[in-house]
Amino acid sequence: MILGFRDVKRGFPDKPGKILAIINQKGGVGKSTTAVNLSAALGVNKKKVLVIDFDPQGNTTSGYGIEKEELEHDIYDALLNDYPIEDLILPTVENGVFVVPATIQLAGAEIELVSEMARETILKNILAPIKDEFDYIFIDCPPSLGLLTINSLVAADALLIPIQCEFYALEGVTKLLESMKMVKSRLNPSLDVFGVVMTMYDVRTTLSKQVVEEVSRYFGNKVFKTIIPRSVKLSEAPSHGLPINRYARVSKGALAYARLAKEVTRRG
Ligand SMILES: Nc1ncnc2c1ncn2[C@@H]1O[C@H](COP(=O)(O)OP(=O)(O)O)[C@@H](O)[C@H]1O
Ligand SMILES: [Mg+2]
């Protein structure tokens, strides 16, 4: 039986909820893959997780097998139409893991938000009343530094930055950290980097190894010990609408995200 979000107990009943923005303005680095598979792995460990799909591409939504065409409302309606967030929270195949979906409708928000009052704090205000009902709330960010991303930076307690093991991995990261600092100084003083996760690691190349070393020099112990390997199974899972732990339970991708979930939990 699939339970509504108010029927599921939290794994950390005494701790405040934590909002993590899964962020990197580069596209294709593994944000959505991490949002889906890390949340599912945390769900397996009895944590209660909400994933806000905040990218008009809606990859987290479809990655969890939610049919976008059948949705009447999505996160756009909470942002711009005062639609109650509680009514947007959908259950997933993973017990304890819930999704607020996004559709292409969200693309309009980037422009429509410009004329809104307090346009940078809308997501923060939407999440405030439900924050402590979850152990973690993930925001799967779009690949840009526009108003949706600024809203994520204002709403988040900390950032989870996926970095792909490839040339120019750190390109753009300085810009992201500048945006973080700007938001930190004006709107969200406690914002910080929660962790950096290296993705699509290829054991056959020395490049992957070099990139991990370079990123580790830059971010120090913020880099998670768990490295996500490049894996065909991880790229196939979304087309089946399943997280990796359901699609290929004993694959190296599933193992890696399970390990990452443990590390995330240890960090708080
Ligand atoms: N570890 C991985 N191994 C293989 N393919 C991956 C891996 N992580 C992501 N992908 C694939 O790479 C593409 C981009 O990943 P995605 O998570 O959508 O990135 P982003 O959300 O940052 O744009 C997708 O097709 C996804 O299936
Ligand atoms: Mg994405």
Side-chain angles (χ1 to χ4, degrees):
M1 188 183 69
I2 292 173
L3 298 169
F5 82 97
R6 293 227 153 92
D7 303 319
V8 176
K9 284 207 180 68
R10 293 184 50 191
F12 293 132
D14 323 325
K15 278 208 215 166
K18 194 172 201 113
I19 303 182
L20 296 176
I22 303 182
I23 192 164
N24 185 333
Q25 79 273 31
K26 251 194 191 182
V29 299
K31 290 183 290 296
S32 301
T33 303
T34 298
V36 169
N37 296 307
L38 180 59
S39 59
L42 286 163
V44 169
N45 296 342
K46 301 275 182 281
K47 302 295 179 286
K48 188 173 173 182
V49 188
L50 177 64
V51 190
I52 309 285
D53 194 345
F54 218 41
D55 183 346
Q57 287 185 29
N59 291 341
T60 284
T61 303
S62 47
Y64 261 118
I66 297 163
E67 300 286 347
K68 285 184 270 195
E69 301 72 33
E70 290 170 14
L71 296 172
E72 282 178 26
H73 299 284
D74 69 64
I75 184 68
Y76 172 95
D77 295 300
L79 278 176
L80 286 145
N81 293 335
D82 291 324
Y83 196 83
I85 188 85
E86 286 90 344
D87 296 345
L88 292 170
I89 297 176
L90 305 176
T92 69
V93 286
E94 204 55 65
N95 246 326
V97 183
F98 299 84
V99 167
V100 171
T103 69
I104 195 67
Q105 184 184 210
L106 183 61
E110 202 73 78
I111 290 164
E112 288 160 48
L113 278 170
V114 172
S115 56
E116 288 289 305
M117 287 267 285
R119 60 192 180 190
E120 294 91 355
T121 54
I122 296 176
L123 182 63
K124 182 190 168 83
N125 295 335
I126 289 170
L127 296 182
I130 55 163
K131 182 176 179 187
D132 289 333
E133 298 198 44
F134 296 91
D135 295 306
Y136 298 98
I137 298 181
F138 291 160
I139 307 167
D140 181 21
C141 294
S144 73
L145 289 175
L147 267 175
L148 288 174
T149 296
I150 299 297
N151 264 272
S152 309
L153 289 169
V154 174
D157 294 305
L159 310 184
L160 202 169
I161 308 174
I163 295 185
Q164 188 183 347
C165 296
E166 48 131 35
F167 271 117
Y168 310 121
L170 281 169
E171 190 191 46
V173 169
T174 342
K175 201 126 194 259
L176 169 62
L177 295 179
E178 273 168 23
S179 300
M180 181 182 99
K181 281 200 189 110
M182 194 256 294
V183 168
K184 195 174 155 85
S185 68
R186 298 183 197 171
L187 292 161
N188 187 3
S190 58
L191 184 64
D192 205 351
V193 174
F194 179 76
V196 172
V197 57
M198 303 303 305
T199 64
M200 296 182 235
Y201 186 92
D202 189 340
V203 282
R204 295 163 306 179
T205 68
T206 50
L207 173 67
S208 272
K209 200 159 161 266
Q210 285 165 357
V211 173
V212 172
E213 283 165 6
E214 188 194 351
V215 172
S216 300
R217 274 195 299 277
Y218 193 84
F219 281 104
N221 59 11
K222 291 283 183 194
V223 181
F224 288 109
K225 293 204 172 59
T226 307
I227 292 173
I228 308 301
R230 184 174 281 285
S231 128
V232 175
K233 290 271 190 314
L234 276 174
S235 62
E236 287 170 353
S239 59
H240 299 262
L242 290 170
I244 192 68
N245 61 305
R246 299 264 167 177
Y247 176 65
R249 198 170 54 85
V250 288
S251 62
K252 56 187 177 145
L255 256 166
Y257 275 106
R259 259 193 229 119
L260 183 64
K262 293 245 161 65
E263 254 192 277
V264 164
T265 314
R266 259 183 264 126
R267 247 177 229 197

